[in-house]
Amino acid sequence: MKNAVITGASRGVGLAIGRYYANHGWNITINSGHDRQALTEAADELSAVTNVHVFFGDISREENSSLLIEQAIRTFGHIDLLINNAGISYIGLLSDMTTEEWHQIMQTNLDSVFFTSRAAIPHMVHRKSGRILNISSVWGEVGASCEAAYSASKGAVNALTKALAKELAPSHISVNAISLGVVDTSMNQCFSEEERRILAQDIPFGRFATPEEAAAFCYQITESPEYLTGQILRFDGGWI
C-alpha cells in the first residue's frame, strides 16, 4: 500500500483529502495542531476505511514537523506522498496587522512547508521516489486586498514549489502545488451570506468548489506521471 502524510487534516480540504486517499487504499498519517477533538474524530472516521496514524502538534515548530515525518516512517515503513495543507488566514488591513500576527501566518503557511519537506526529502531521495504536493491559493498568484500576508505566504509557497521541483527532479521526486480558488470550508465563514453570494457570482461556475472536488483534483495530480513537476495548478472554476 502507498502511504501519505497530510497536514491540517482535521477538517475542510485536509479531511476531504484524507477521506479520498483512504477510500483509494492509501495508509495515511494525519495532523492538526489546533483542534485535538476534531483530529480524533477524523481519525475515528478514517480508521474504519484504512490504517491511520495520528499526530497532534503544531508543525510550524521544527521539532514537531520532524517528529511527524519520523513517526510516519516508523509506522508505515516509508512515505510516498507529503501533502502540505496546514494553513490559516488573516483578513484585514496590513497596517492594522501586528508583528505577531504576521509571523503566525508565515510560520503556519510557509515555515511548516519548509520543515516537513526538509524532514521528508532525505527519505525520499534515498528511495529515489516520492511526491510533495503543496496546497496553495490563487491569492499567491495575484494577491488580494486585505489578505496581503496570506497572499505573501502563498506566493512564497509557490516559489518554493518551483525551485524545489528543480532540485529534486534528478531523484525522481515530483513537487507541485494546487492554487485553490474559493472552497466552501470554515475558513470562509467569516463572510456574510450576502458577501458569499456576491463572491459566488464572480466565479464563472457560479459557486464555490467543494472540499471533495479539491481532494479529487489532488489525487489526480499525485497519480499523474512523475514528469509532472514544478507546476502551480489552478483550481478555481475559471475565477482568476
Side-chain angles (χ1 to χ4, degrees):
M1 294 177 69
K2 292 183 178 180
N3 308 309
V5 175
I6 308 165
T7 69
S10 64
R11 60 184 179 178
V13 172
L15 178 54
I17 292 171
R19 289 187 183 120
Y20 204 93
Y21 281 81
N23 287 327
H24 283 77
W26 287 58
N27 297 321
I28 55 175
T29 296
I30 57 172
N31 153 261
S32 174
H34 303 287
D35 191 337
R36 186 185 293 272
Q37 179 61 34
L39 186 64
T40 299
E41 292 173 358
D44 289 343
E45 174 191 340
L46 297 174
S47 61
V49 181
T50 191
N51 299 308
V52 179
H53 176 67
V54 179
F55 181 86
F56 181 79
D58 180 2
I59 57 166
S60 68
R61 297 175 57 184
E62 179 180 358
E63 62 272 23
N64 285 338
S65 288
S66 297
L67 192 56
L68 166 66
I69 299 301
E70 178 185 320
Q71 288 188 4
I73 295 171
R74 187 186 310 135
T75 301
F76 295 121
H78 67 274
I79 297 172
D80 296 287
L81 170 65
L82 168 63
I83 298 182
N84 287 306
N85 173 71
I88 58 174
S89 64
Y90 173 93
I91 297 178
L93 296 172
L94 184 69
S95 56
D96 292 335
M97 191 176 199
T98 67
T99 301
E100 290 74 19
E101 288 168 333
W102 171 270
H103 286 312
Q104 185 179 25
I105 287 281
M106 292 301 166
Q107 288 166 357
T108 302
N109 296 0
L110 178 60
D111 289 0
S112 65
V113 177
F114 163 60
F115 289 141
T116 56
S117 297
R118 186 180 64 178
I121 284 169
H123 170 73
M124 292 181 174
V125 169
H126 178 74
R127 298 183 67 241
K128 292 291 188 292
S129 176
R131 294 172 187 261
I132 298 172
L133 181 61
N134 299 320
I135 308 302
S136 188
S137 166
V138 293
W139 294 150
E141 298 184 80
V142 299
S145 175
C146 293
E147 292 192 59
Y150 180 80
S151 301
S153 70
K154 292 301 186 179
V157 167
N158 292 348
L160 175 60
T161 297
K162 294 177 181 179
L164 192 56
K166 294 178 179 178
E167 192 171 309
L168 296 179
S171 297
H172 299 276
I173 300 166
S174 300
V175 187
N176 293 291
I178 293 177
S179 179
L180 292 177
V182 186
V183 183
D184 195 8
T185 68
S186 59
M187 185 177 284
N188 298 308
Q189 295 304 313
C190 58
F191 300 115
S192 68
E193 284 300 319
E194 178 64 13
E195 289 171 330
R196 287 167 60 86
R197 183 185 65 79
I198 293 171
L199 182 56
Q201 288 177 342
D202 285 339
I203 301 170
F205 255 84
R207 63 173 178 83
F208 297 173
T210 67
E212 292 73 24
E213 287 174 318
F217 187 52
C218 288
Y219 190 79
Q220 289 178 339
I221 292 170
T222 56
E223 287 293 293
S224 296
E226 65 174 14
Y227 202 71
L228 177 68
T229 195
Q231 303 305 305
I232 313 301
L233 299 149
R234 195 179 299 166
F235 190 76
D236 70 346
W239 185 30
I240 300 301

